[in-house]
Each structure stands twice: as structure tokens, then as C-alpha cells.
Amino acid sequence: MKAVVIYASQTGFTKQYAQWICEESGAECVELKKASKIKLAEYDAVVFGGWFMAGGIKKIDWFKKKIPELSAAGKKLIVYAVGASPAEAPDAAESLKRNFTDDEWNAIKAFYCPGGLNYDKMGFGSKLTMKMLLRILSSKKDATKDDMRMVKMLSHSYDISDKKYANPIVAELKS
């Protein structure tokens, strides 16, 4: 099966997952900026990786425009989204689904991969968003244990990515 993994990464976590998927599956690895130069019709499977911000998968619109044509051509379509929450976060699956219409959701397989935060590599807008979120959470008068755990987690850079979270994506590619 000829496959390509196209990814958009801000701080490197999504890129790392793309590399792990390609290493294990033999797929071609292409940064989204260069994706316009390839012919998706030549691939049996197309994987798109993006990162979560405020529940939205960044750069997913590019891929969503391709879903109808690729799906009609019988291509295997996979999306993975990388976020700052642990893999067992209860809202990860729901956040993934909210990014797609029912028809799009039925045409793809979607996966969540935990990444982390790297404040040194974040753009200004992302840093500002994170700072505002931290301020809101830490100033809550009736903050819950979950709120306080999130404040602690988001107050510094961390990496919870792991190659094992790429394994289900690789298995889907190989099935």
C-alpha cells in the first residue's frame, strides 16, 4: 500500500508522530507546506496530522476539502490530532469528532495522540491563548481539583508523546 502522511506542526509533536508513523509503515512524510506538490491520487492511503488548539484541529480545512474526492476514489483516509492532554482525557474523542461533519466522520478513521507543550517553540498567539487560559483557571473562585491540576500542567513545557500512540495509526494503515 502506497501511503503518505501529511502534517502541520507548530512545536514539533505532530511532526514527531508523522515521523514515527512513516518509520513503521514505510509511508512518505510530507509537511503540509509542501503537500500541494504531490498528487494524492497516486496514494492508496492519505494520513493527515494536525494539532489541537481550543478544540479545533489546526490546518484541518485543507484536508477536509480533499475528503469527498479521496473518499469517492476509495482511498483510506486517516486523521490524527496531537494535543496537550493525556491519552486518557475523556474529552479527546469528542473533540476529534466535533471537527467533522457526519459524512466526513464516516469517511475517515481518527486518532488522538498526546503531545505536550513547548512554550519555546510556540507562536505569540498560542502563548497568549495559553496565558489567558491559565489566568482564567487560576482565578476561579470555586476551582475544582481538575482545574488546579490543569493549571499545574499548563504552567510549564512538557512532553508526554510516545511512539506507542502511533501504533494504532500504523495498524490502521497496514490493515
Side-chain angles (χ1 to χ4, degrees):
M1 175 178 284
K2 187 173 178 184
V4 63
V5 177
I6 300 167
Y7 68 92
S9 186
Q10 178 183 14
T11 60
F13 297 107
T14 309
K15 179 179 181 179
Q16 179 63 72
Y17 277 104
Q19 291 169 337
W20 284 333
I21 294 164
C22 292
E23 286 169 11
E24 294 300 315
S25 70
E28 186 178 336
C29 196
V30 178
E31 189 174 4
L32 180 59
K33 294 176 190 173
K34 299 175 183 173
S36 64
K37 296 178 182 175
I38 63 173
K39 295 179 181 172
L40 295 178
E42 295 177 0
Y43 296 91
D44 302 307
V46 179
V47 179
F48 178 82
W51 48 279
F52 268 124
M53 182 170 184
I57 303 171
K58 299 304 279 185
K59 310 295 184 181
I60 193 67
D61 288 342
W62 176 88
F63 183 72
K64 287 174 67 162
K65 290 176 187 170
K66 312 278 186 212
I67 291 174
E69 179 183 339
L70 294 172
S71 179
K75 307 298 181 183
K76 182 177 282 197
L77 304 176
I78 300 171
V79 173
Y80 70 95
V82 179
S85 297
E88 60 277 357
D91 60 338
E94 187 56 38
S95 292
L96 268 173
K97 191 167 177 146
R98 277 194 309 262
N99 282 270
F100 301 96
T101 66
D102 288 342
D103 287 342
E104 292 166 343
W105 186 252
N106 292 329
I108 66 166
K109 294 286 185 178
F111 299 87
Y112 175 76
C113 300
L117 291 174
N118 187 331
Y119 285 106
D120 292 336
K121 292 184 179 180
M122 265 187 206
F124 175 76
S126 295
K127 283 183 187 178
L128 183 62
T129 300
M130 294 307 295
K131 190 176 260 189
M132 289 185 330
L133 176 60
L134 275 169
R135 184 171 291 148
I136 290 167
L137 288 173
S138 59
S139 65
K140 275 180 137 179
K141 292 187 186 197
D142 49 352
T144 65
K145 285 183 182 181
D146 285 342
D147 292 335
M148 297 318 295
R149 186 171 33 87
M150 187 176 277
V151 166
K152 185 177 179 182
M153 190 172 88
L154 298 178
S155 63
H156 62 282
S157 294
Y158 61 92
D159 182 351
I160 55 173
S161 60
D162 191 310
K163 192 174 188 176
K164 70 181 180 184
Y165 298 112
N167 292 341
I169 302 167
V170 172
E172 182 63 34
L173 267 176
K174 291 181 175 182
S175 70

